[in-house]
Amino acid sequence: MNNKGKLEIEKKYSYEGDLEIKLRNLNSLEKDSLEIIDQYFDTDDYFLIRKDFWLRSRQIRKSEQLWELKYPADLSGDDESFSKYFESSNQQEIADILSNILSPSTKTKNLEDLFQSLKLKIFASFKTTRKSFVIDEITIDLDQTDFGYKLAELEIVLDVDSTQDKIKQSIQKIKNLAFKLGNYIFSIRIRILLNNHY
């Protein structure tokens, strides 16, 4: 990933039925499936999620644990109907951001120190099986959790300095595919990705 970061345009929605068949009928390219274990952390009074900050550890195929923080962004000039988020997977950056909002007077050296000083705890933990497909430049992830929830995600990742026309074209592509897959609610989210993500 370049230093400028990436702009992720995505649509997520819960679904019933078998989207895999529809995707195969659209001649999508099927990728390998993944097993993902996610754990979400917060304070005892859920300070982070009440501020729309989401701190997660993720393990994929028994790999090294990855940390990720998603938090609200103010992207001036964008359509206000979109949800906008920054996302970081750099542990030091995550520690600095969380320290600033949870304990501004405390100088936190790293994420481990932050956990100890603020007593962050797991409030959700679950396993997800992910099947991925690609159509055109759209990646489609079909997630099913170990408690039966199904989530579809359609996304296009662009350079963060992409033109407004390119962003609008990408949004329209996602809307068109969602319509073909039977989803007619066109809420789209835009995120700036500061580091690699899954």
Side-chain angles (χ1 to χ4, degrees), residues 85-124:
Y85 291 90
F86 285 118
E87 187 173 287
S88 176
S89 57
N90 179 288
Q91 288 194 33
Q92 187 57 58
E93 186 173 57
I94 291 170
D96 292 342
I97 293 167
L98 292 180
S99 181
N100 284 336
I101 65 165
L102 289 168
S103 182
S105 62
T106 303
K107 296 293 183 182
T108 302
K109 294 180 180 178
N110 55 48
L111 198 55
E112 185 177 341
D113 290 344
L114 188 73
F115 269 74
Q116 292 178 355
S117 62
L118 299 176
K119 299 179 180 177
L120 296 175
K121 297 177 181 178
I122 297 170
F123 71 88

Side-chain angles (χ1 to χ4, degrees), residues 14-43:
S14 61
Y15 71 95
E16 299 293 334
D18 194 348
L19 283 188
E20 292 179 50
I21 293 174
K22 291 182 179 181
L23 286 166
R24 292 188 182 108
N25 288 341
L26 291 170
N27 297 317
S28 62
L29 173 65
E30 188 167 357
K31 300 165 72 177
D32 291 340
S33 61
L34 297 174
E35 186 177 274
I36 301 167
I37 298 174
D38 286 324
Q39 293 180 318
Y40 287 83
F41 295 80
D42 208 336
T43 59

